[in-house]
Amino acid sequence: LSNAQSKLHSRVPLTTIIVNNGGGAIFSFLPIAKHGQDVGFEEFWGTPTKSISFRKGADAFGLPYRYASSFESFREAYRSSLLSGRPEIIEARVIDRSKNVDIHQRITSTAIQFVTKLVSETSSDECDLSLNTRINLPIKRYTNENISKGSNRSKTLLLIHGWMGDKSEWDLVGAELVKNLPHEWDIISIDLPGHGEAPYILSPIQQMMRTALSLNSFHENADFCSSGKFSIDAMAKAVCNSLQNDYGIKSLDAIAGYSLGGRIALAMNRLCLTNTDMNAPQQDNDNKLITKQTRLILLGANPGKLPFDDHTVKTESDNQRVRKDRLLAQSLLSSLYKTYLIPIGSDLSYLSKFVAKWYGNNLWGDLQERYPHKFKNMINRRIMSLSERRHEIASVLYECSPPLNPIDDWKKVTPAKTLYIAGSLDKKYSFIGRLWEKSGGVNKYVEINDAGHALLVEQPREISSALVGFLKDARIANTLGTSKEISDEDANVVNDVKTDDKEKLDPAPR
């Protein structure tokens, strides 16, 4: 009421509303409120207003006064004050402090339950891979339509794309495979979780809400492999389950995985051969999706830590790789939030720079200069993918950083049934391929001339030729063999590789 006198003489029809909650109600939310009179809470914090009369205060200055103790009476008092055209005071007597705290706590609890349900439960278009690996992943067939679905007469070849890609990445190779493989082959490519047309694990809005509520692991001190939604194993299980349950595919005769897809293929191989729970109902080898007869084709894929790696030296490099991938993932996710504040042109500019920087790595062998048209098309496809699904693509990068995932999947491959392919300009993976072949860990290593890491984009015909030759090779049809440890003598081949090759082993995209 200190300014009541000036209001009296003012022509401004100012309505002053006093919210009388019986004192300093805000302090009732503090932990000290629980101690009550033991700490003199009412006297020093509650400051009750029982002895104060706002009516008398208004009367002292000759100001009209109104009192409201319900919403209806307040609404009527407020309407009357506005219509009066003069300054007035309304005292709104609200619930007492203890009831106020109780109501706020119930509102908070209800809001938390609602938001938790909203950001964690799945809808018809969304699924939670960490709780249920049953997700219908879209596939694409490059095969004769006359071959019946799931027919025992058909052989099945699965093609798996890399990070930021989708099932159409294999179109050029798939078209060549259809021409050159026998008609008994059913050739399919599949969208990995978080890519292409795969159902959302979390929608962009859900992802932002989870981050805003600190429900994500995208922060400095988090266990950044804790969610598991996009781990290598979670995606491998999702692929296996979708093939079996959604498409009736009983077995895979061959799997070809590019980059990240190769790591998924290795995980699928390990999970199926070690009788994990997803194969529990099918214990005999004849009914498994993947057996030791399944041929494995890895294109520029990280097999894990081969024995010739110096684990002590690699530790810091691994940490650097994780930090690098984490920062890239955080950058992508942060850019998603900005899309609500900046023009679409600015966002596309950011994505263009991100993708250009990613593909500017030495691993790609100056792809832009060698194949400018192919490079441009690939960049445009990646920008489109990121603009639609960057929150999940970022999550895949975050959880699939190689040091965070299984390091010995290579041990489960059957050497006689495994083909490794890399580009000659891809120093990292060509080095791994030569060494792995030298040690007897794979049946054959094929090096594609004048190609970097983008094998499917640069040399689809050569890739198709390598796959056809391997799949038609009758000499390995019934050969099994087992994986073997690489001896010190085998590891000496490292000395035959140029120093600059070894220096480019880390870090690199998957």
Side-chain angles (χ1 to χ4, degrees):
L1 298 178
S2 60
N3 293 323
Q5 188 66 36
S6 62
K7 293 176 183 177
L8 179 62
H9 299 288
S10 173
R11 295 178 179 274
V12 178
L14 177 63
T15 298
T16 300
I17 300 171
I18 299 172
V19 181
N20 186 358
N21 53 17
I26 189 173
F27 299 109
S28 297
F29 290 90
L30 299 177
I32 196 171
K34 295 184 296 184
H35 300 285
Q37 289 305 110
D38 291 342
V39 294
F41 179 77
E42 282 297 301
E43 180 181 0
F44 297 109
W45 282 276
T47 58
T49 59
K50 294 179 181 179
S51 61
I52 299 176
S53 172
F54 293 102
R55 177 188 293 274
K56 292 181 179 180
D59 289 344
F61 293 96
L63 288 171
Y65 168 88
R66 298 177 188 273
Y67 178 83
S69 59
S70 67
F71 177 72
E72 289 75 17
S73 61
F74 170 76
R75 182 170 54 183
E76 180 59 31
Y78 184 64
R79 180 185 294 112
S80 298
S81 177
L82 293 180
L83 293 175
S84 71
R86 61 184 180 180
E88 291 191 359
I89 291 178
I90 300 176
E91 178 184 355
R93 179 66 181 182
V94 297
I95 57 175
D96 63 48
R97 283 176 279 146
S98 60
K99 288 184 179 179
N100 182 50
V101 172
D102 179 63
I103 290 175
H104 274 79
Q105 289 177 339
R106 281 187 283 151
I107 291 174
T108 301
S109 177
T110 301
I112 289 175
Q113 291 177 16
F114 173 78
V115 173
T116 300
K117 181 178 180 180
L118 182 65
V119 300
S120 62
E121 280 196 352
T122 62
S123 67
S124 58
D125 296 324
E126 299 156 357
C127 60
D128 187 347
L129 211 57
S130 63
L131 301 178
N132 181 10
T133 52
R134 281 291 294 110
I135 168 176
N136 190 333
L137 298 172
I139 67 170
K140 185 172 187 176
R141 275 190 158 90
Y142 307 93
T143 190
N144 190 327
E145 295 181 356
N146 294 324
I147 298 178
S148 59
K149 179 180 177 181
S151 172
N152 291 328
R153 295 175 297 168
S154 296
K155 293 182 177 180
T156 303
L157 165 63
L158 174 66
L159 308 173
I160 311 177
H161 63 81
W163 186 60
M164 288 196 290
D166 58 60
K167 59 184 179 297
S168 67
E169 299 291 311
W170 285 93
D171 283 359
L172 296 177
V173 175
E176 293 294 322
L177 291 174
V178 170
K179 296 177 185 177
N180 297 292
L181 279 177
H183 293 303
E184 62 181 343
W185 281 97
D186 185 19
I187 307 167
I188 62 175
S189 60
I190 191 167
D191 278 333
L192 290 174
H195 294 77
E197 299 174 320
Y200 279 123
I201 305 303
L202 289 175
S203 70
I205 296 297
Q206 286 178 312
Q207 180 67 61
M208 287 193 293
M209 291 177 66
R210 289 183 62 85
T211 301
L213 295 169
S214 298
L215 298 177
N216 280 325
S217 58
F218 283 67
H219 53 84
E220 184 65 25
N221 299 317
D223 174 3
F224 40 81
C225 207
S226 59
S227 68
K229 290 179 173 61
F230 295 99
S231 68
I232 291 291
D233 279 13
M235 291 196 288
K237 289 180 181 180
V239 172
C240 289
N241 286 331
S242 185
L243 292 175
Q244 291 176 309
N245 298 309
D246 299 321
Y247 304 103
I249 296 174
K250 298 180 180 179
S251 63
L252 292 174
D253 297 274
I255 309 175
Y258 164 69
S259 199
L260 172 64
R263 294 169 59 202
I264 300 294
L266 285 166
M268 291 169 61
N269 179 70
R270 166 175 50 81
L271 292 169
C272 287
L273 294 183
T274 53
N275 291 322
T276 60
D277 56 350
M278 67 179 185
N279 287 306
Q282 305 173 346
Q283 293 297 325
D284 56 300
N285 286 338
D286 291 338
N287 289 327
K288 282 188 176 181
L289 185 66
I290 298 173
T291 71
K292 288 188 176 181
Q293 292 293 342
T294 302
R295 303 192 189 194
L296 201 60
I297 304 164
L298 306 174
L299 295 81
N302 190 326
K305 282 188 176 293
L306 297 172
F308 51 78
D309 284 331
D310 187 334
H311 290 253
T312 302
V313 174
K314 286 278 191 173
T315 300
E316 180 54 32
S317 179
D318 288 344
N319 292 336
Q320 291 177 359
R321 174 61 186 273
V322 172
R323 287 194 293 269
K324 177 182 177 182
D325 287 344
R326 180 195 300 181
L327 289 173
L328 287 173
Q330 290 174 331
S331 175
L332 276 177
L333 197 59
S334 296
S335 71
L336 175 63
Y337 308 148
K338 296 177 183 177
T339 60
Y340 291 86
L341 304 173
I342 62 176
I344 186 172
S346 299
D347 182 50
L348 292 177
S349 177
Y350 162 79
L351 294 178
S352 298
K353 292 177 181 178
F354 178 91
V355 174
K357 183 177 180 179
W358 180 266
Y359 289 106
N361 189 290
N362 291 334
L363 204 70
W364 308 94
D366 296 322
L367 178 60
Q368 183 175 11
E369 295 181 8
R370 293 183 295 109
Y371 299 103
H373 181 67
K374 292 181 178 180
F375 180 83
K376 182 179 180 180
N377 288 339
M378 183 178 69
I379 292 295
N380 289 337
R381 286 169 60 89
R382 297 296 182 260
I383 292 173
M384 181 64 67
S385 296
L386 288 173
S387 65
E388 295 175 351
R389 309 198 64 151
R390 85 185 77 183
H391 62 293
E392 293 190 326
I393 289 175
S395 298
V396 172
L397 174 62
Y398 195 88
E399 293 198 37
C400 289
S401 185
L404 301 180
N405 288 273
I407 63 173
D408 55 2
D409 278 351
W410 61 272
K411 291 183 178 180
K412 291 297 181 180
V413 307
T414 302
K417 302 285 186 178
T418 306
L419 172 67
Y420 195 87
I421 303 175
S424 62
L425 302 179
D426 180 351
K427 299 302 182 181
K428 171 172 181 162
Y429 291 107
S430 61
F431 166 71
I432 290 175
R434 292 195 297 273
L435 192 53
W436 208 2
E437 180 186 43
K438 178 71 175 180
S439 67
V442 295
N443 178 286
K444 187 178 182 181
Y445 164 60
V446 174
E447 189 164 291
I448 307 298
N449 291 328
D450 192 33
H453 193 64
L455 294 167
L456 304 182
V457 173
E458 297 182 56
Q459 303 292 349
R461 289 187 178 180
E462 286 73 7
I463 296 300
S464 173
S465 178
L467 267 63
V468 169
F470 184 67
L471 296 176
K472 282 185 174 181
D473 192 344
R475 294 173 299 174
I476 60 175
N478 297 310
T479 304
L480 281 179
T482 57
S483 301
K484 70 170 188 174
E485 296 288 343
I486 300 177
S487 65
D488 292 337
E489 182 179 352
D490 293 330
N492 287 334
V493 73
V494 174
N495 297 324
D496 297 331
V497 182
K498 294 180 180 180
T499 302
D500 63 341
D501 285 355
K502 289 187 287 182
E503 289 177 347
K504 291 178 181 177
L505 284 179
D506 294 294
R510 47 220 36 81

